[in-house]
Amino acid sequence: MVRLMLGLAAAAMVTSGAMAQSAVERGSYLVNTIMTCGNCHSPKGPPAAVAGKDFSGGLRFDEPPFDVTAPNITPDKETGIGNWTDAQIRTLLLTGKNEHGIQAAEVMPTAFYPILTPGDLDGIVAYLRSLTPVKNKVADPIYKIALPHHVFPGAEKAYSQADLNDKLKRGFYLVTIGHCMECHTPFAPPGGPDFANSLGKGGREFPGPWGVSKSRNITSHKTAGIGDWTDAEIKTAITQGKRKDGTPLKGPMGYQYYAKMTDADLDAVIAYLRTVPPKE
C-alpha cells in the first residue's frame, strides 16, 4: 500500500510539472495575446507584420509633443535591448522610465502595467530574453517636454496569483494589461483619456493602413455599447474582428492576437466588460 501511494504521488508530481507553464511560456502567452506587443513593435507591411522582423521595431507615433517609433525589443546588443538588465526592463514596464531614466511617451502603455503579478512580470522579461536577436535600428525618440506618467485607476498595485482566481478580478487584470481602455476611452482637456467620466465610451480616431477607424463604446450600455450583445458575439468581435451582423471591423485592434487567448481568459474579459458602467 505504501509503495502504491508513493507511486501515485510521484505520478501526480510528474503530471503537475508537465502541465505547469514555464516563465518563458507564460511570458510568450501574454506578449503574443492580450498585450499585443507585436502590434506596435513589429514592422508592418501593411497590414501584416514583416516576416522575420518580429519585435524589431515598428509603428511611428508623431504626436506632438513627441515623435517616437516603437523600438526594437529583441535581445540585439546594438539596436535592441540586449544590453539592458532584467531590472531595467522591469523598470521600463512598471514606470515608463528607460535605461537612462527618461520618461517614455504613454503611447507605450506602461501606465497599465504596475498591476502585473510578479510572476507575469518575470515571465515577460524571460520571454523577451528568449527572442532571436534582430538587428534593426529605429529612429531615436524626440521629446519636446518632460512627459507625465499617469497610472490607470486600479492598476496602482501588483495583483497576486490568488487575485487571478477570481473571475472578475482576472477579467479586469487582463483588460488592464491589454490596455483596452487606452483606446476605448476618449480624451478630455487638457489631455489624456478621461477614465473618471468616460471609461470605455469609445470615440477616439485611429488613422493607419486600415484607413481611419473609431474606437467603439464597450460599456454595458444597451444601445450605444455592448450591453445587448451576447457573450458569443463579443467573443467573435474580439477574436475575429466581426460585428454582430458579420461585417468586418477595422484595425488597429489586434484580433489575430486575441484569437490565441484561452476560452477561460476570454470569458473573464467579457465578464468584466459586463460590469463597466453604461455610457451614452
Side-chain angles (χ1 to χ4, degrees):
M1 180 60 73
V2 173
R3 288 181 179 177
L4 176 61
M5 292 180 68
L6 288 173
L8 290 173
M13 290 174 66
V14 170
T15 302
S16 175
M19 293 176 63
Q21 278 187 313
S22 69
V24 171
E25 289 169 337
R26 177 61 177 171
S28 174
Y29 174 75
L30 295 173
V31 166
N32 291 301
T33 62
I34 189 65
M35 295 178 74
T36 64
C37 301
N39 213 21
C40 288
H41 286 278
S42 296
K44 302 295 181 182
V50 178
K53 295 284 189 176
D54 291 347
F55 304 109
S56 68
L59 297 182
R60 178 185 177 187
F61 299 88
D62 185 4
E63 302 175 8
F66 60 81
D67 182 353
V68 299
T69 299
N72 185 337
I73 56 172
T74 75
D76 183 71
K77 290 185 179 295
E78 294 180 15
T79 65
I81 58 172
N83 288 322
W84 288 45
T85 66
D86 288 0
Q88 287 173 328
I89 298 173
R90 292 190 189 96
T91 296
L92 185 282
L93 289 169
L94 298 179
T95 71
K97 292 186 184 297
N98 66 17
E99 79 275 30
H100 303 297
I102 297 173
Q103 189 70 50
E106 287 194 328
V107 67
M108 168 63 178
T110 55
F112 297 81
Y113 296 156
I115 198 174
L116 282 164
T117 68
D120 282 353
L121 184 60
D122 288 345
I124 292 166
V125 174
Y127 174 66
L128 294 179
R129 292 288 192 209
S130 77
L131 295 173
T132 300
V134 177
K135 192 174 298 298
N136 183 40
K137 181 72 172 71
V138 303
D140 291 331
I142 298 173
Y143 301 124
K144 296 182 180 179
I145 64 171
L147 298 175
H149 181 66
H150 305 106
V151 178
F152 179 67
E156 299 88 356
K157 181 181 177 182
Y159 263 30
S160 68
Q161 192 61 41
D163 288 322
L164 302 188
N165 294 330
D166 179 284
K167 187 174 184 178
L168 285 180
K169 286 185 177 181
R170 184 177 180 182
F172 176 74
Y173 178 81
L174 292 166
V175 167
T176 300
I177 66 173
H179 50 93
C180 304
M181 295 304 178
E182 178 186 33
C183 294
H184 286 277
T185 302
F187 276 20
D194 186 11
F195 297 129
N197 302 300
S198 301
L199 183 71
K201 186 177 177 179
R204 287 186 60 189
E205 291 189 347
F206 295 89
W210 48 81
V212 178
S213 59
K214 184 177 289 187
S215 63
R216 182 180 174 89
N217 185 327
I218 57 171
T219 73
S220 56
H221 196 284
K222 291 289 187 182
T223 54
I226 56 174
D228 69 340
W229 289 44
T230 66
D231 287 3
E233 288 169 339
I234 298 173
K235 191 175 292 187
T236 296
I238 293 172
T239 62
Q240 299 179 36
K242 293 181 180 179
R243 299 181 179 89
K244 288 181 66 172
D245 62 6
T247 57
L249 293 161
K250 295 180 179 180
M253 190 162 155
Y255 313 110
Q256 70 274 29
Y257 298 95
Y258 305 137
K260 295 179 282 187
M261 291 175 65
T262 65
D263 283 338
D265 279 351
L266 286 167
D267 289 342
V269 166
I270 293 168
Y272 166 69
L273 292 178
R274 297 284 191 205
T275 72
V276 178
K279 298 291 181 182
E280 183 66 59

